[in-house]
Amino acid sequence: MSRLHTPPASPSSPGFWRSPVRGPWFTSVLGLVLLGGITVLFVTGLLSYAAYNPGLAPVNDKTPDKGLLGFYLFAWPTRPHWLYRLTQGVHVTLGITLVPVLLAKLWSVVPKLFALPPARSLAHALERISLLLLVGGVLFEFVTGVLNVQLDYVFPGSFYPLHFYGAWVFFAAFVAHVVLRAPAAVRNVRRMRAGKGPEEETGGEPDFPLVSPRPAEPTVSRRGALWLVGGGSLLLFGTTAGQSFDGPLRRTALLAPHGAADPGSGPGGFQINKTAAYRGISARETSDDVWRLVVTGPTGTLRLSRAELLALPLRSSALPIACVEGWSTGDQWWRGVRLRDLAALVGYDADAAPDVLVESLQRRGAFREAALRSNQVRDPRSLLALDVNGETLTPDHGYPARIIVPAAPGVLNTKWVARMTFGDL
């Protein structure tokens, strides 16, 4: 082979990247899909964070130094009761579904990461910085998100602050990149649909081309590559989305820890996150002879046995459990004492019940204590549950008593409740 036809050895040369699939149209289509999808991910992520009511009490706030980044926080509602099940299910399922699109997008623009010189002007330098932050941020967010969904906590530190601050770094780079590149992406898609070629770069400085000057022989068309990416996304959707549903569809959630396998039969045969044994809950401390619920308010402190709780007026609620990992149960029938009625026992009017701090018997874990806002306490469907689906709670579902609140993240539905302190937090 002559020296003239020897492929360039340097990735910084446009001729090094020879795939005929790369080009402005392919990259622009993927970018527009990600523009819509990542916007939904960011909004549902903010909603997920707001659902924890982090401004209510330090025990709920895993990002205490957020400052202005908490500007959107509001009192999380209790209606509709499936709200968190919907928003977090969309967040996780969409995030996993977009993985092939993201990988294809990164593959399509990888030549630009090697372009030399690194900066030809201030505007070009800003674009390169935004691109590096964008690539690093999106990989960090998707990797930590997928690991969290799979319950693989191999990253250093807590998932909550890592994912929260990583999201803001990524979104800032994402907005900057969209401002710089979205108009050209839209124009390129329109031109290609009209049968025209991609527009030439403007501004007096040549950009690193996505179209190879020496393309290899094609093995798939650009449209075929898009179908391949879409098929991968559809496959991931089909093997993930079922974790948010009951019935046969859940069995298709092969990639979800709380999908596919039947968690058991009988009244307690629905998904759990952590078992009593994992949390160190012993049978002795939950026995009728030992366990007492301590309830504190302005008129003093009560110590109530399970039998005494069962003697109080009991109510039923049909509510799901929805978790940050994206899985949820169907509506289960819970029976127990309304939280507002417990507040009334220690000196509050039930209709004016305040916030409550709930403490669990578990000795470790980020949410062994959790705070509930007054609107959650006052909702007549919010219970200290004693039974589920007509039977006594199992140890793994929180026996002898657990919290169940409509639309609340699963970690706020505290299991193995030991103490409840009513009052402004």
Side-chain angles (χ1 to χ4, degrees), residues 181-214:
R181 304 302 299 176
V186 173
R187 290 194 299 270
N188 278 327
V189 170
R190 288 177 176 174
R191 288 176 64 87
M192 296 298 286
R193 291 184 64 181
K196 302 177 183 179
E199 67 179 4
E200 296 296 328
E201 296 287 344
T202 60
E205 294 178 302
D207 196 9
F208 196 92
L210 291 177
V211 178
S212 174
R214 300 178 59 254

Short mmCIF file of all heavy atoms in Angstrom, two decimals, residues 181-214:
data_model
loop_
_atom_site.label_atom_id
_atom_site.label_comp_id
_atom_site.label_asym_id
_atom_site.label_seq_id
_atom_site.Cartn_x
_atom_site.Cartn_y
_atom_site.Cartn_z
N ARG A 181 -25.87 24.41 19.96
CA ARG A 181 -25.96 23.45 18.86
C ARG A 181 -27.36 23.13 18.37
O ARG A 181 -27.52 22.64 17.25
CB ARG A 181 -25.30 22.13 19.28
CG ARG A 181 -23.86 22.26 19.75
CD ARG A 181 -22.97 22.88 18.70
NE ARG A 181 -22.91 22.08 17.48
CZ ARG A 181 -22.26 22.43 16.38
NH1 ARG A 181 -21.61 23.59 16.35
NH2 ARG A 181 -22.25 21.66 15.32
N ALA A 182 -28.40 23.36 19.18
CA ALA A 182 -29.75 22.94 18.78
C ALA A 182 -30.22 23.58 17.48
O ALA A 182 -30.80 22.90 16.63
CB ALA A 182 -30.74 23.22 19.91
N PRO A 183 -30.02 24.88 17.26
CA PRO A 183 -30.50 25.46 15.99
C PRO A 183 -29.90 24.75 14.76
O PRO A 183 -30.61 24.47 13.80
CB PRO A 183 -30.03 26.91 16.08
CG PRO A 183 -29.95 27.19 17.54
CD PRO A 183 -29.46 25.92 18.15
N ALA A 184 -28.61 24.46 14.82
CA ALA A 184 -27.99 23.76 13.69
C ALA A 184 -28.54 22.35 13.55
O ALA A 184 -28.72 21.84 12.44
CB ALA A 184 -26.47 23.73 13.87
N ALA A 185 -28.82 21.67 14.68
CA ALA A 185 -29.38 20.32 14.63
C ALA A 185 -30.74 20.31 13.95
O ALA A 185 -31.03 19.45 13.10
CB ALA A 185 -29.47 19.73 16.04
N VAL A 186 -31.59 21.26 14.29
CA VAL A 186 -32.92 21.34 13.69
C VAL A 186 -32.81 21.63 12.19
O VAL A 186 -33.49 21.02 11.36
CB VAL A 186 -33.77 22.42 14.40
CG1 VAL A 186 -35.09 22.63 13.65
CG2 VAL A 186 -34.03 22.03 15.85
N ARG A 187 -31.93 22.56 11.83
CA ARG A 187 -31.76 22.89 10.41
C ARG A 187 -31.25 21.69 9.61
O ARG A 187 -31.70 21.44 8.49
CB ARG A 187 -30.81 24.08 10.25
CG ARG A 187 -31.39 25.40 10.72
CD ARG A 187 -30.55 26.57 10.21
NE ARG A 187 -29.18 26.52 10.71
CZ ARG A 187 -28.78 27.10 11.85
NH1 ARG A 187 -29.66 27.74 12.61
NH2 ARG A 187 -27.52 27.02 12.23
N ASN A 188 -30.33 20.94 10.19
CA ASN A 188 -29.79 19.78 9.49
C ASN A 188 -30.85 18.71 9.26
O ASN A 188 -30.91 18.10 8.18
CB ASN A 188 -28.62 19.18 10.28
CG ASN A 188 -27.32 19.92 10.01
OD1 ASN A 188 -27.10 20.41 8.91
ND2 ASN A 188 -26.45 20.00 11.01
N VAL A 189 -31.69 18.45 10.25
CA VAL A 189 -32.75 17.47 10.09
C VAL A 189 -33.71 17.92 8.99
O VAL A 189 -34.12 17.14 8.12
CB VAL A 189 -33.50 17.25 11.42
CG1 VAL A 189 -34.76 16.41 11.19
CG2 VAL A 189 -32.60 16.55 12.42
N ARG A 190 -34.08 19.19 8.97
CA ARG A 190 -34.99 19.71 7.96
C ARG A 190 -34.38 19.63 6.56
O ARG A 190 -35.04 19.26 5.59
CB ARG A 190 -35.37 21.15 8.29
CG ARG A 190 -36.31 21.27 9.49
CD ARG A 190 -36.58 22.72 9.81
NE ARG A 190 -37.56 22.83 10.89
CZ ARG A 190 -37.90 24.00 11.46
NH1 ARG A 190 -37.34 25.13 11.04
NH2 ARG A 190 -38.79 24.02 12.43
N ARG A 191 -33.10 19.97 6.47
CA ARG A 191 -32.44 19.94 5.16
C ARG A 191 -32.34 18.50 4.64
O ARG A 191 -32.57 18.24 3.45
CB ARG A 191 -31.04 20.56 5.26
CG ARG A 191 -31.05 22.08 5.44
CD ARG A 191 -29.63 22.61 5.63
NE ARG A 191 -28.82 22.39 4.44
CZ ARG A 191 -28.75 23.22 3.41
NH1 ARG A 191 -29.47 24.33 3.41
NH2 ARG A 191 -27.98 22.94 2.37
N MET A 192 -32.02 17.57 5.53
CA MET A 192 -31.90 16.19 5.09
C MET A 192 -33.25 15.61 4.70
O MET A 192 -33.37 14.85 3.74
CB MET A 192 -31.24 15.34 6.19
CG MET A 192 -29.80 15.75 6.52
SD MET A 192 -28.67 15.56 5.14
CE MET A 192 -28.50 13.78 5.10
N ARG A 193 -34.31 15.97 5.40
CA ARG A 193 -35.65 15.50 5.04
C ARG A 193 -36.09 16.09 3.71
O ARG A 193 -36.89 15.50 2.98
CB ARG A 193 -36.64 15.87 6.14
CG ARG A 193 -36.44 15.09 7.44
CD ARG A 193 -37.51 15.41 8.46
NE ARG A 193 -38.82 14.99 7.97
CZ ARG A 193 -39.95 15.17 8.66
NH1 ARG A 193 -39.91 15.77 9.84
NH2 ARG A 193 -41.10 14.76 8.16
N ALA A 194 -35.59 17.28 3.40
CA ALA A 194 -35.91 17.92 2.12
C ALA A 194 -35.02 17.43 0.99
O ALA A 194 -35.11 17.92 -0.14
CB ALA A 194 -35.79 19.44 2.26
N GLY A 195 -34.14 16.47 1.28
CA GLY A 195 -33.27 15.93 0.26
C GLY A 195 -32.03 16.74 0.01
O GLY A 195 -31.33 16.52 -0.99
N LYS A 196 -31.72 17.66 0.90
CA LYS A 196 -30.53 18.49 0.75
C LYS A 196 -29.42 17.96 1.66
O LYS A 196 -29.68 17.21 2.61
CB LYS A 196 -30.83 19.94 1.11
CG LYS A 196 -31.95 20.55 0.27
CD LYS A 196 -32.24 21.97 0.74
CE LYS A 196 -33.40 22.58 -0.04
NZ LYS A 196 -33.71 23.97 0.43
N GLY A 197 -28.24 18.37 1.41
CA GLY A 197 -27.12 18.00 2.27
C GLY A 197 -27.09 18.85 3.51
O GLY A 197 -27.77 19.87 3.61
N PRO A 198 -26.30 18.45 4.51
CA PRO A 198 -26.17 19.26 5.72
C PRO A 198 -25.54 20.60 5.40
O PRO A 198 -24.74 20.72 4.49
CB PRO A 198 -25.26 18.42 6.62
CG PRO A 198 -24.48 17.56 5.67
CD PRO A 198 -25.41 17.27 4.53
N GLU A 199 -25.96 21.60 6.18
CA GLU A 199 -25.44 22.93 5.93
C GLU A 199 -23.97 23.01 6.31
O GLU A 199 -23.49 22.27 7.16
CB GLU A 199 -26.23 23.96 6.72
CG GLU A 199 -26.05 23.86 8.22
CD GLU A 199 -26.84 24.91 8.95
OE1 GLU A 199 -27.57 25.67 8.32
OE2 GLU A 199 -26.71 24.99 10.18
N GLU A 200 -23.28 23.89 5.66
CA GLU A 200 -21.87 24.08 5.97
C GLU A 200 -21.73 24.86 7.26
O GLU A 200 -22.58 25.68 7.61
CB GLU A 200 -21.20 24.86 4.84
CG GLU A 200 -21.18 24.13 3.51
CD GLU A 200 -20.36 22.86 3.55
OE1 GLU A 200 -19.37 22.84 4.32
OE2 GLU A 200 -20.70 21.90 2.85
N GLU A 201 -20.68 24.56 8.00
CA GLU A 201 -20.41 25.32 9.21
C GLU A 201 -20.10 26.77 8.85
O GLU A 201 -19.50 27.05 7.80
CB GLU A 201 -19.22 24.71 9.96
CG GLU A 201 -19.46 23.31 10.49
CD GLU A 201 -20.40 23.27 11.66
OE1 GLU A 201 -20.62 24.34 12.27
OE2 GLU A 201 -20.92 22.18 11.97
N THR A 202 -20.55 27.68 9.68
CA THR A 202 -20.30 29.10 9.43
C THR A 202 -19.47 29.67 10.55
O THR A 202 -19.24 29.03 11.56
CB THR A 202 -21.64 29.86 9.34
OG1 THR A 202 -22.35 29.69 10.56
CG2 THR A 202 -22.49 29.34 8.18
N GLY A 203 -19.06 30.89 10.35
CA GLY A 203 -18.32 31.56 11.41
C GLY A 203 -16.89 31.77 11.04
O GLY A 203 -16.11 32.31 11.82
N GLY A 204 -16.47 31.32 9.85
CA GLY A 204 -15.12 31.63 9.40
C GLY A 204 -14.08 30.64 9.86
O GLY A 204 -12.92 30.73 9.49
N GLU A 205 -14.49 29.64 10.70
CA GLU A 205 -13.52 28.67 11.19
C GLU A 205 -14.05 27.27 10.90
O GLU A 205 -15.17 26.94 11.26
CB GLU A 205 -13.30 28.84 12.69
CG GLU A 205 -12.64 30.16 13.07
CD GLU A 205 -12.50 30.27 14.57
OE1 GLU A 205 -13.51 30.21 15.25
OE2 GLU A 205 -11.36 30.41 15.05
N PRO A 206 -13.28 26.43 10.26
CA PRO A 206 -13.76 25.09 9.93
C PRO A 206 -13.94 24.26 11.19
O PRO A 206 -13.11 24.29 12.09
CB PRO A 206 -12.63 24.53 9.04
CG PRO A 206 -11.41 25.28 9.46
CD PRO A 206 -11.87 26.65 9.82
N ASP A 207 -15.05 23.51 11.25
CA ASP A 207 -15.29 22.63 12.38
C ASP A 207 -14.76 21.24 12.05
O ASP A 207 -14.56 20.90 10.88
CB ASP A 207 -16.80 22.56 12.66
CG ASP A 207 -17.09 21.99 14.03
OD1 ASP A 207 -16.13 21.81 14.81
OD2 ASP A 207 -18.26 21.72 14.32
N PHE A 208 -14.53 20.42 13.06
CA PHE A 208 -14.08 19.05 12.85
C PHE A 208 -15.23 18.29 12.19
O PHE A 208 -16.31 18.18 12.75
CB PHE A 208 -13.73 18.41 14.19
CG PHE A 208 -12.91 17.15 14.06
CD1 PHE A 208 -11.53 17.22 14.08
CD2 PHE A 208 -13.52 15.92 13.93
CE1 PHE A 208 -10.76 16.06 13.98
CE2 PHE A 208 -12.77 14.76 13.82
CZ PHE A 208 -11.39 14.84 13.85
N PRO A 209 -15.06 17.75 11.00
CA PRO A 209 -16.19 17.15 10.27
C PRO A 209 -16.62 15.82 10.88
O PRO A 209 -15.79 15.03 11.33
CB PRO A 209 -15.63 16.97 8.87
CG PRO A 209 -14.16 16.81 9.06
CD PRO A 209 -13.81 17.70 10.23
N LEU A 210 -17.94 15.58 10.89
CA LEU A 210 -18.45 14.28 11.30
C LEU A 210 -18.45 13.30 10.14
O LEU A 210 -18.37 12.10 10.33
CB LEU A 210 -19.86 14.43 11.87
CG LEU A 210 -19.97 15.16 13.21
CD1 LEU A 210 -21.44 15.30 13.62
CD2 LEU A 210 -19.21 14.41 14.29
N VAL A 211 -18.59 13.82 8.93
CA VAL A 211 -18.56 12.97 7.74
C VAL A 211 -17.10 12.69 7.38
O VAL A 211 -16.31 13.61 7.17
CB VAL A 211 -19.28 13.64 6.57
CG1 VAL A 211 -19.20 12.75 5.32
CG2 VAL A 211 -20.73 13.92 6.93
N SER A 212 -16.75 11.41 7.31
CA SER A 212 -15.37 11.03 7.02
C SER A 212 -15.00 11.40 5.59
O SER A 212 -15.78 11.16 4.65
CB SER A 212 -15.18 9.52 7.23
OG SER A 212 -13.88 9.13 6.83
N PRO A 213 -13.81 11.96 5.38
CA PRO A 213 -13.36 12.23 4.01
C PRO A 213 -13.00 10.95 3.26
O PRO A 213 -12.90 10.94 2.04
CB PRO A 213 -12.13 13.12 4.22
CG PRO A 213 -11.64 12.78 5.58
CD PRO A 213 -12.86 12.44 6.38
N ARG A 214 -12.78 9.85 4.01
CA ARG A 214 -12.45 8.55 3.41
C ARG A 214 -13.32 7.47 4.05
O ARG A 214 -12.82 6.62 4.77
CB ARG A 214 -10.97 8.22 3.61
CG ARG A 214 -10.00 9.24 3.00
CD ARG A 214 -8.55 8.87 3.28
NE ARG A 214 -8.21 7.55 2.75
CZ ARG A 214 -8.04 6.47 3.50
NH1 ARG A 214 -8.19 6.54 4.81
NH2 ARG A 214 -7.72 5.32 2.96
#
